[in-house]
Amino acid sequence: MRSAPAADAGGESQESPVAATTEDGSPLRRGLPRTADGDPWPPAGMTVRPSATSDAPAAGVSLPVEEPETTRTPSGRAPSGGADSTRDEPEAAAPTSAAAARPVPAVVATDRAPLTVPRTVWPGRAAYHRPPARPAPTRFGPFTRMQWVGAVLVGGMALLYAAALAVTFVRALLSLPALQEFLVAFPGEYHLPESAPVGIPAWLGWQHFFNVFLMVLIIRSGLQVRTEKRPSVFWTPRRNRKGKISLALWFHQALDILWLVNGAVFIVLLFVTGHWMRIVPTSWEVFPNALSAALQYVSLDWPTENGWVNYNALQQLAYFSTVFLAAPLAALTGYRMSGMWPKKAARLNAAFPVEWARRLHFPVMLYFVVFIFIHVALVLATGALRNLNHMYAAQGSVDGVAYADNWTGFWMFFASLVVIAGAWIAARPLVLAPIAKLFGTVTAR
């Protein structure tokens, strides 16, 4: 009675199943079965055809689905009375062995190894439609606009915090008896020679205005030359066609020449009238007095001084450094980088390379920017009307409170700011080109 199953088993053992392969005949690794107690997937004898467009079966090809083992008899037939008993199939077509009950090999279109479970999730729109890449933010130097805002806010808060710590520390330091005696011995200024003039003459006020006017435009044009990538307008001297430079550089150098002329007149008048003693230290006491003035400034208990008669020691050192150190250094480095420098002087070029001039010229400009900012801030914070009357209206007195309510100097200062702002706005090729044509040839790109 058990001969049929034995024969089936024997037949199955003699028939070696064909392993699943790809379309080119390469063996395909079989995975876990899809049903309990079923065969590994894919079934033996199945051929898998790769497809680059879809994981779904190709049109007209159906995947064989293996029925659970519990619905089959040992001979491979469905039990009588079941759904399969109603099928109108020839009795001889029924499989007679487990091997015959295996699915017929099919060709499956896929681009990856077959799943071990029925697929229920398919790629959506995001798999084929990528959002466009966002454009890179515009950078102003090393940072974007928002990064600059953040850097300014963080840097400003850090500076305020450091300033608060410095004020607290210095005020505690000046409360010590030894420091109190130091302030009495060195109040922040020392007596000038008896021959030193008193007051500020009108020529000095005009020199001051011209100096500020030219310095602001020099800084503006210098920054333009430094940041300009592709100049649109050029200037060429008539005597040297090879000396072609950008219009911005011509404007910068023209302002430098006017600034040097104004400075030369200032130095001559300074020594002729004796006013040099106001900004040139004449005693070694300038250094301890400068330290005293600096401590008083930091403690916010500022030194009392009358600029009409004498500057405090810290002011004197600052003016001396600006007039006799920073200004000549700016002129020398600028001349070294200009076309007027002798290019064939080998020894001179080796002694003062142009790389040194470039490395020094920009920091010197930054020094002038910082000096102007601090200078204007202290002028306005230590008696604005009185100080502006001294410098712009040439009005003052040995009495420190005189002219403290006079607005003449303020309105002159305001008018000078309007003139400087107008020159700043007008410094563009439309206005500069006609002026530059008087001294050379102006061409556009």
Side-chain angles (χ1 to χ4, degrees):
M1 297 295 294
R2 301 181 60 86
S3 59
D8 292 343
E12 181 177 359
S13 63
Q14 293 176 3
E15 182 183 358
S16 58
V18 180
T21 60
T22 60
E23 194 175 31
D24 58 1
S26 301
L28 183 65
R29 182 178 177 181
R30 302 171 69 188
L32 297 175
R34 287 195 171 186
T35 59
D37 300 329
D39 292 337
W41 183 265
M46 175 180 291
T47 301
V48 179
R49 177 168 59 85
S51 173
T53 58
S54 174
D55 290 339
V61 178
S62 60
L63 289 177
V65 180
E66 185 176 343
E67 296 179 359
E69 293 292 333
T70 55
T71 63
R72 297 178 183 271
T73 62
S75 62
R77 297 181 180 180
S80 60
D84 292 342
S85 61
T86 60
R87 297 178 181 172
D88 187 12
E89 296 179 354
E91 188 68 22
T96 58
S97 65
R102 299 178 185 277
V104 178
V107 178
V108 180
T110 179
D111 59 352
R112 66 186 68 180
L115 298 174
T116 59
V117 295
R119 186 165 189 170
T120 58
V121 179
W122 303 89
R125 177 181 174 84
Y128 308 103
H129 299 273
R130 302 294 183 186
R134 293 184 179 181
T138 304
R139 291 186 175 272
F140 301 89
F143 303 128
T144 62
R145 188 187 304 273
M146 293 307 300
Q147 288 174 339
W148 274 114
V149 173
V152 170
L153 291 178
V154 174
M157 294 176 63
L159 288 177
L160 288 176
Y161 181 73
L165 289 179
V167 171
T168 303
F169 175 76
V170 172
R171 292 181 72 90
L173 191 66
L174 292 180
S175 64
L176 300 177
L179 269 298
Q180 292 289 333
E181 296 177 0
F182 175 78
L183 294 180
V184 172
F186 302 100
E189 64 178 0
Y190 64 94
H191 295 290
L192 297 178
E194 295 182 358
S195 59
V198 177
I200 298 177
W203 66 264
L204 189 57
W206 281 103
Q207 286 283 327
H208 183 267
F209 164 72
F210 286 132
N211 186 67
V212 175
F213 177 83
L214 294 172
M215 280 299 302
V216 170
L217 295 181
I218 287 173
I219 293 172
R220 179 195 185 279
S221 58
L223 291 176
Q224 182 179 357
V225 171
R226 186 178 179 87
T227 57
E228 194 174 40
K229 302 300 182 183
R230 288 178 55 85
S232 58
V233 185
F234 297 89
W235 177 84
T236 306
R238 294 190 178 96
R239 297 182 180 180
N240 182 14
R241 294 298 178 181
K242 297 182 179 180
K244 185 178 181 180
I245 58 177
S246 67
L247 184 64
L249 182 56
W250 172 85
F251 183 50
H252 183 72
Q253 293 180 352
L255 292 171
D256 289 339
I257 294 175
L258 294 177
W259 182 65
L260 290 175
V261 172
N262 183 70
V265 173
F266 171 75
I267 295 297
V268 171
L269 293 177
L270 197 68
F271 282 93
V272 168
T273 60
H275 278 272
W276 64 270
M277 289 179 282
R278 292 172 57 88
I279 63 172
V280 177
T282 57
S283 173
W284 291 107
E285 294 182 3
V286 65
F287 295 106
N289 277 287
L291 177 60
S292 173
L295 292 174
Q296 294 177 64
Y297 277 123
V298 175
S299 67
L300 300 183
D301 186 13
W302 292 349
T304 57
E305 50 85 24
N306 184 2
W308 185 260
V309 178
N310 188 14
Y311 299 128
N312 65 54
L314 192 61
Q315 284 179 291
Q316 190 178 55
L317 288 178
Y319 296 152
F320 174 81
S321 300
T322 302
V323 174
F324 296 101
L325 296 179
L329 188 59
L332 180 61
T333 54
Y335 175 61
R336 177 63 182 91
M337 294 187 298
S338 69
M340 295 181 288
W341 180 269
K343 298 180 180 180
K344 297 182 179 180
R347 293 184 178 180
L348 189 59
N349 292 335
F352 187 24
V354 68
E355 291 77 11
W356 292 7
R358 291 194 182 100
R359 293 176 181 176
L360 289 174
H361 197 70
F362 185 70
V364 173
M365 186 273 291
L366 294 180
Y367 167 81
F368 277 105
V369 172
V370 174
F371 172 81
I372 293 173
F373 177 79
I374 297 177
H375 176 64
V376 173
L378 290 178
V379 165
L380 299 179
T382 58
L385 296 181
R386 182 193 60 177
N387 293 331
L388 292 176
N389 275 316
H390 292 173
M391 186 53 61
Y392 282 89
Q395 296 178 352
S397 172
V398 294
D399 183 5
V401 297
Y403 295 95
D405 298 329
N406 193 319
W407 287 79
T408 304
F410 171 82
W411 291 116
M412 296 180 68
F413 170 69
F414 180 79
S416 70
L417 292 182
V418 174
V419 173
I420 293 173
W424 180 290
I425 298 173
R428 56 188 62 196
L430 182 64
V431 178
L432 297 179
I435 301 175
K437 286 182 180 179
L438 300 177
F439 306 95
T441 304
V442 177
T443 57
R445 180 179 294 278

